[in-house]
Structure formats: structure tokens, C-alpha cells
């Protein structure tokens, strides 16, 4: 049942022209940043070479670009998640899922997985672009894998957050704005926190992404992401169940 | 969470349960849908007030009433689209609130606004609806063909739903409601937006569905009730003011007069 819903969700995301416009724009911006970064690296490469233990191309190019990718996904994902539940409510197609013999658990997981499949495709396109780096230099595969893992986990967190806001709202635009606002707030928490180990940084997904961004795969960070995603999906399921079982 | 998983697995038992249920009430056709004392408010106003109804297999029940009488709200509650503030609903012996998955597996619903994904093709949409209702993949193609044939959609499988006319969209809505061959079919104004020839076909289809399952439909068209419904209930301001066979209603003249008389008396009583 989860597979049926995930497949349908992926199908409707992929068949919307707006999805491809957004992806094209994102690829263009990403390519722009990529070339800019390589250009910067080439300019300072000669000076870097004189240092002991000089930073390589991967840490100088791939890591910053993955931060940019994470930021782009933060802005892009609410536009997809708003369609998952809020727009179905507005288009009155939600009743099909409400009256079908499927539980909220199936609906939420199906929709989340459907969106994650699209996100994996988006990230794969960007990674394909980054791997052209290997044509000219030796890339640090471990660092790249840590970055890919980090971007995917962060994107999954944004997707779960967006899905929750989508379940709370009837208006897609409000769902998107709410999810973007909270994601942005969490990002600012990380940016403005004064101490490096404080509570504020601990609750921001971005600070956990930073470790992966620098190539440090820390089990505490992985557990944080799993908990963050699971909690939001659970809240979404609860929200839908409340609506279905209790009259308000 | 484990309880919910358990409930999903129980769906396999639905046919056994149904069998026992049928033999227990072998004398008269079994009750497939029963609702007791349904109440629903909206903004401190009572929309549906203490409505009870019962539907037996092989019966077509017409739900009549003026605009805003609570017809659509009642039908939404019967299908699980809207939870009632109080009352009980049983479908094929399963409680709609306690065992929603089993109960919903027995219902097909066409709401007032058909729930259609405009960017999907007719075939893809109907297959999605069929999978949602847990039709095994070996029977998917046969179910799809049958429901398309019943609704006259054979040549429209590859068309985008958004590009279809209102009448054909309505047909797709009916097709998704009957694709899993449900025991109870709930249709909210099924013939709205159809041309006369389509109306005739859909009425014949509803009669045909009434032979094997139970159908409950709401309508404004009194001749529709006369030609296809076995029984009629009339709602006024959320209350049930009349319940009887359509033949009974016709004893005092034509349907329209009978309806006007009942609603007038109902208004005087409240």
C-alpha cells in the first residue's frame, strides 16, 4: 500500500511541468556555483600547494557546494511538500484517500517515500556534476560520500517538516510558507548560536549537517536525524488520525 | 502501532466474516450499512440531527431533501470522509470508527465533487483507486475493464482526466467508486452534469448495482427516485422526516406532490 501511494506521488510530481522548471533552474544555479568555486580554487591552488597538509580539491570545492545544495533544497522542498496533503485537500481529492481502506501511517509514509525518491534523483544529478571533478584530480571518495549522506538526511528532515505543515493546513501556500519559515529559523539558530556546543545548536539540523559536511560521520548526528524525521512523521500521522477519528 | 498492523492483516478475514454474517441473517437480505443517531455540528449549528438509517443488500435507497438539508454531510459520515460528533455506523458488520480499514474496504464513494487527479490518465487513476482498495494485482486488469465498460469509458483510458468533459469526469468518478465491487455504493448526486442519454445509462447501471450490492444515492431529481429507488428517506434541516418505500410515496399521486406535502408537513412540525 505504501508502494502504491509512493509510486502515485512520484508520478504526479514528475508529470508536473513546474517540477522540471524548478529542477532546471536549480541545476543552472548549482552549475554556476560549481564553476565559481573551481575558479576560486584554481586561483589559490599555487599558494595552497606550499602549505603542509594542504586542503585538497574535494574539501575546497565539494564541501562548500554541498552546503549550497542543502540551502537550495531547504527552499525547494516546501514547494513539493505543500502539494502532498494541503493541495489534495484544496482540490478535494483527499477524500479518495480518506474513504479508502488505508491508514494514516500508509498515507504519510507513502507520500514521504515518493518525495524522497524525487529528492534522491535531484541529489544524484548534482553529484553527477560534482564527480566531473574526478576528471582532473583525485577526489576524496569518503568525504564525498559523507556529504551525500548529509545532504540526503538534511533533505529528508526538511521533507518530514514540510509534510507536517502540509497536514496542518488547507492552503498549500501557507503550508509552504510555514515549512520554509521553520526551516529558515532552524538554520538561523545554527548560524547565530554563540557557543559551539550549546542547546540551540543541538536542536538545529544544520549544525548536525556541518559535521558530515566536513567528513565526520558521527553516530550522534545520524541518530539525531533519524529522531528528527521519525518524530515529525509521527506527528503528521497523529494529526491525520485526529482529523479522521474525532469530530471538531 | 502494532494494533494498527494487526488490523491491516485482519482484512484478509473480511470474506470469512462476511460469510458468517450472511448465514446468520439468511432469512431476509443482510443489513450492509446501518447508522444510528448520527449528529454533526458546524459552527454551533446542527447540520445533521439524530439521523438513523439502515440499508439491506439488493436495495437502492434514495436520499431526498432541499439544498442544505444535510444530505451530503450524511453521506460523508457514512463513508468515513467526515467523523460524526456522535452516533454509530456499521458497514458489513464492522464499526466504521473502530475498524475503519475493514469497514472502508466494503464501501465505494462518489462525493459531490468527484476526487479526480486532473494530471492523471483515466487508466492510471482507476488502477490507483483499485490498488488503494487492495484488489490483488492478478485481478487488476479485469476490474479495470469491467468498471470502464460499466461506465462507458472504454475509449477514454489514455485520456487525461483534466481534458475530459464534466459528464465524462463524473463517469470516471463513478468508475472509481465501483472498481472494487463494494458491498455498499454511496453516490452523491451521481447524474449531475450528464446528458439525457448518459443519465439513462447511469440509472441502468445503478439498478444493476442494486441487484448485487446496496446503493444509497442523494438526488434532487424526483423522477430519478421514482425510477430506480426501492426506498426513500427525506431529510429536512438535518432531521429525518420521512422513510418509506417509493411505491408508498406514489400512492397519493405523483412523486413531486408527495415530496412537497411531506416537506411542508415537516416544516410545520419543526
Amino acid at each position: 500500500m505504501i508502494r502504491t501511494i509512493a509510486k502515485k506521488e512520484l508520478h504526479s510530481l514528475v508529470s508536473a511541468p513546474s517540477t522540471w522548471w524548478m529542477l532546471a533552474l536549480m541545476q543552472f544555479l548549482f552549475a554556476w556555483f560549481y564553476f565559481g568555486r573551481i575558479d576560486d580554487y584554481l586561483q589559490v591552488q599555487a599558494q595552497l600547494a606550499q602549505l603542509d597538509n594542504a586542503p585538497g580539491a574535494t574539501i575546497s570545492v565539494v564541501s562548500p557546494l554541498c552546503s549550497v545544495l542543502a540551502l537550495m533544497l531547504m527552499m525547494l522542498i516546501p514547494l513539493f511538500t505543500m502539494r502532498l496533503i494541503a493541495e489534495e485537500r484544496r482540490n478535494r481529492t483527499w477524500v479518495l484517500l480518506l474513504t479508502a481502506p488505508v491508514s494514516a501511517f500508509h498515507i504519510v509514509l507513502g507520500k514521504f517515500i515518493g518525495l524522497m525518491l524525487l529528492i534522491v534523483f535531484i541529489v544524484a544529478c548534482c553529484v553527477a556534476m560534482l564527480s566531473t571533478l574526478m576528471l582532473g584530480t583525485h577526489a576524496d571518495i569518503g568525504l564525498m560520500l559523507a556529504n551525500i549522506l548529509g545532504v540526503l538526511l538534511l533533505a529528508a528532515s526538511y521533507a518530514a517538516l514540510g509534510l507536517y505543515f502540509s497536514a496542518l493546513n488547507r492552503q498549500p501556500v501557507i503550508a509552504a510558507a510555514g515549512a520554509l519559515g521553520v526551516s529558515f529559523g532552524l538554520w538561523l539558530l545554527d548560524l547565530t548560536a554563540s557557543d559551539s556546543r550549546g542547546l540551540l545548536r543541538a536542536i538545529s539540523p544544520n549544525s548536525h549537517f556541518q559535521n558530515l559536511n566536513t567528513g565526520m560521520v558521527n553516530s550522534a548526528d545520524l541518530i539525531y536525524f533519524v529522531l528528527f524525521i521519525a518524530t515529525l512523521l509521527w506527528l503528521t500521522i497523529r494529526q491525520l488520525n485526529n482529523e479522521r477519528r474525532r469530530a471538531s | 502501532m502494532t494494533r494498527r498492523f494487526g488490523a491491516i492483516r485482519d482484512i484478509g478475514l473480511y470474506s470469512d466474516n462476511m460469510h458468517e454474517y450472511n448465514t446468520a441473517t439468511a432469512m431476509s437480505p443482510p443489513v450492509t450499512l446501518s447508522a444510528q443517531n448520527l449528529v454533526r455540528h458546524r459552527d454551533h449549528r446542527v447540520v445533521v440531527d439524530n439521523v438513523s438509517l439502515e440499508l439491506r443488500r439488493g436495495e437502492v435507497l434514495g436520499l431526498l431533501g432541499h439544498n442544505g438539508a444535510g444530505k451530503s454531510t450524511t453521506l460523508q459520515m457514512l463513508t468515513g470522509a467526515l467523523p460524526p460528533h456522535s452516533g454509530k455506523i456499521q458497514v458489513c458488520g464492522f464499526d466504521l470508527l473502530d475498524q475503519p480499514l475493514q469497514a472502508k474496504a466494503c464501501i465505494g464513494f462518489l462525493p459531490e465533487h468527484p476526487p479526480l487527479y486532473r494530471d492523471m490518465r483515466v487508466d492510471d487513476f482507476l488502477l490507483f483507486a483499485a490498488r488503494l482498495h487492495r484488489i490483488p494485482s492478478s485481478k487488476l486488469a479485469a476490474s479495470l475493464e469491467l468498471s470502464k465498460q460499466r461506465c462507458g469509458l472504454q475509449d477514454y483510458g489514455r485520456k487525461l482526466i483534466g481534458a475530459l468533459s464534466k459528464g465524462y469526469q463524473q463517469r470516471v468518478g463513478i468508475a472509481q467508486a465501483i472498481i472494487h465491487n463494494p458491498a455498499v455504493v454511496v453516490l452523491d448526486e451521481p447524474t449531475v452534469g450528464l446528458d439525457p442519454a448518459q443519465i439513462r445509462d447511469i440509472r441502468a447501471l445503478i439498478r444493476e448495482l442494486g441487484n448485487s450490492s446496496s446503493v444509497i444515492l442523494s438526488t434532487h431529481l424526483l423522477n430519478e427516485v421514482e425510477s430506480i429507488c426501492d426506498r426513500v428517506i427525506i431529510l429536512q434541516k438535518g432531521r429525518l422526516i420521512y422513510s418509506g418505500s417509493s411505491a408508498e410515496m406514489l400512492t397519493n399521486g405523483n412523486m413531486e406532490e408527495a415530496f412537497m406535502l411531506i416537506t411542508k408537513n415537516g416544516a410545520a412540525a419543526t
Side-chain angles (χ1 to χ4, degrees), chain B residues 50-89:
Chain B
N50 221 9
V51 168
S52 302
L53 58 89
E54 213 176 65
L55 190 62
R56 292 181 181 277
R57 172 182 283 185
E59 201 173 37
V60 180
L61 176 66
L63 188 58
L64 290 176
H66 294 299
N67 288 332
K71 300 189 295 290
S72 291
T73 311
T74 306
L75 294 183
Q76 282 176 8
M77 286 195 285
L78 293 178
T79 52
L82 198 68
H85 280 100
S86 72
K88 259 183 111 59
I89 300 164

Side-chain angles (χ1 to χ4, degrees), chain A residues 108-109 112 156-157 160 223-237:
Chain A
V108 170
L109 235 62
F112 177 72
S157 310
I223 291 168
Y224 167 85
F225 277 117
V226 171
L227 282 178
F228 188 91
I229 295 162
T231 309
L232 281 162
L233 291 181
W234 176 73
L235 282 173
T236 314
I237 293 170

Side-chain angles (χ1 to χ4, degrees), chain B residues 7-257:
Chain B
I8 295 159
R9 235 177 283 124
D10 288 347
I11 276 195
L13 301 175
Y14 154 64
S15 49
D16 303 344
N17 193 326
M18 195 60 192
H19 178 67
E20 277 171 30
Y21 180 70
N22 288 346
T23 45
T25 50
M27 300 309 284
S28 60
V31 175
T32 45
L33 176 84
S34 86
Q36 279 137 31
N37 311 98
L38 293 183
V39 177
R40 173 87 202 176
H41 313 276
R42 185 180 297 151
D43 305 329
H44 308 294
R45 196 168 58 86
V46 182
V47 183
V48 173
D49 189 4
N50 221 9
V51 168
S52 302
L53 58 89
E54 213 176 65
L55 190 62
R56 292 181 181 277
R57 172 182 283 185
E59 201 173 37
V60 180
L61 176 66
L63 188 58
L64 290 176
H66 294 299
N67 288 332
K71 300 189 295 290
S72 291
T73 311
T74 306
L75 294 183
Q76 282 176 8
M77 286 195 285
L78 293 178
T79 52
L82 198 68
H85 280 100
S86 72
K88 259 183 111 59
I89 300 164
Q90 284 208 322
V91 188
C92 300
F94 299 110
D95 190 288
L96 188 62
L97 295 174
D98 294 338
Q99 297 167 292
L101 299 190
Q102 290 93 327
K104 284 174 183 173
C106 315
I107 307 182
F109 180 36
L110 169 77
E112 203 176 352
H113 304 273
L116 305 174
Y117 295 103
R118 298 174 60 84
D119 54 356
M120 280 177 102
R121 294 183 194 282
V122 173
D123 277 352
D124 295 337
F125 172 71
L126 291 177
L127 283 174
F128 174 61
R131 287 201 186 94
L132 275 185
H133 284 95
R134 298 166 192 277
I135 294 180
S137 43
S138 57
K139 292 184 184 157
L140 275 177
S143 306
L144 176 70
E145 275 317 306
L146 182 65
S147 76
K148 277 203 303 186
Q149 186 210 327
R150 280 174 141 183
C151 300
L153 289 166
Q154 292 98 321
D155 302 331
Y156 291 83
R158 301 290 304 152
K159 288 241 159 76
L160 278 176
I161 292 175
L164 292 177
S165 69
K166 170 122 175 40
Y168 273 96
Q169 290 188 358
Q170 186 75 5
R171 287 180 184 218
V172 178
I174 298 174
Q176 67 75 28
I178 62 172
I179 194 163
H180 53 296
N181 207 7
V184 180
V185 182
V186 180
L187 306 169
D188 198 348
E189 304 198 8
T191 51
V192 161
L194 301 182
D195 66 41
Q198 291 174 331
I199 290 183
R200 196 192 55 213
D201 294 348
I202 293 300
R203 283 184 188 168
L205 170 65
I206 293 171
R207 270 280 29 132
E208 185 194 325
L209 289 171
N211 294 331
S212 53
S213 34
S214 353
V215 181
I216 174 165
L217 63 102
S218 78
T219 181
H220 285 295
L221 305 172
L222 293 167
N223 61 346
E224 188 159 292
V225 177
E226 199 176 324
S227 59
I228 55 177
C229 296
D230 304 308
R231 225 151 48 77
V232 179
I233 55 177
I234 300 178
L235 288 180
Q236 190 167 41
K237 293 182 181 163
R239 292 219 185 124
L240 204 153
I241 57 166
Y242 177 83
S243 171
S245 72
S246 51
E248 264 170 50
M249 252 182 104
L250 283 170
T251 50
N252 301 333
N254 70 27
M255 202 69 165
E256 200 174 330
E257 279 173 18

Side-chain angles (χ1 to χ4, degrees), chain A residues 11-63:
Chain A
H11 178 268
S12 43
L13 283 169
V14 168
S15 61
S18 59
T19 305
W20 296 104
W21 278 111
M22 284 194 278
L23 293 197
L25 184 67
M26 194 181 141
Q27 284 287 303
F28 177 75
L29 287 175
F30 191 71
W32 193 278
F33 278 110
Y34 181 43
F35 283 122
R37 199 71 212 176
I38 286 185
D39 206 31
D40 288 351
Y41 179 69
L42 290 178
Q43 282 184 8
V44 292
Q45 195 190 17
Q47 291 151 322
L48 285 176
Q50 291 167 6
L51 294 174
D52 289 337
N53 202 5
T58 319
I59 195 117
S60 317
V61 177
V62 174
S63 290

Side-chain angles (χ1 to χ4, degrees), chain A residues 14-189:
Chain A
V14 168
S15 61
S18 59
T19 305
W20 296 104
W21 278 111
M22 284 194 278
L23 293 197
L25 184 67
M26 194 181 141
Q27 284 287 303
F28 177 75
L29 287 175
F30 191 71
W32 193 278
F33 278 110
Y34 181 43
F35 283 122
R37 199 71 212 176
I38 286 185
D39 206 31
D40 288 351
Y41 179 69
L42 290 178
Q43 282 184 8
V44 292
Q45 195 190 17
Q47 291 151 322
L48 285 176
Q50 291 167 6
L51 294 174
D52 289 337
N53 202 5
T58 319
I59 195 117
S60 317
V61 177
V62 174
S63 290
L65 278 172
C66 281
S67 299
V68 170
L69 179 59
L71 205 62
M72 284 180 175
L73 286 173
M74 181 180 96
M75 293 184 231
L76 195 66
I77 286 171
L79 297 179
F80 292 129
T81 54
M82 74 174 187
R83 303 183 50 189
L84 296 181
I85 298 176
E87 195 166 280
E88 284 221 42
R89 284 209 184 108
R90 198 187 56 176
N91 292 346
R92 303 176 202 250
T93 50
W94 187 238
V95 67
L96 184 72
L97 291 172
L98 271 184
T99 56
V102 289
S103 63
F105 175 79
H106 290 136
I107 298 176
V108 170
L109 235 62
K111 285 180 177 286
F112 177 72
I113 291 171
L115 176 58
M116 278 314 292
L117 290 175
L118 178 70
I119 291 174
V120 167
F121 170 73
I122 298 174
V123 173
C125 288
C126 296
V127 169
M129 201 191 291
L130 287 179
S131 35
T132 54
L133 204 62
M134 285 190 227
L135 296 174
T137 175
H138 286 289
D140 181 346
I141 300 292
L143 181 62
M144 272 184 94
L145 288 178
N147 266 299
I148 294 167
L149 179 68
V151 167
L152 285 176
L153 284 172
L154 192 65
S157 310
Y158 291 142
L161 184 75
L163 200 57
Y164 179 56
F165 273 89
S166 203
L168 285 179
N169 286 292
R170 197 163 280 275
Q171 292 297 330
V173 177
I174 298 175
L180 183 62
V182 172
S183 316
F184 200 69
L186 286 170
W187 182 58
L188 284 182
L189 270 188

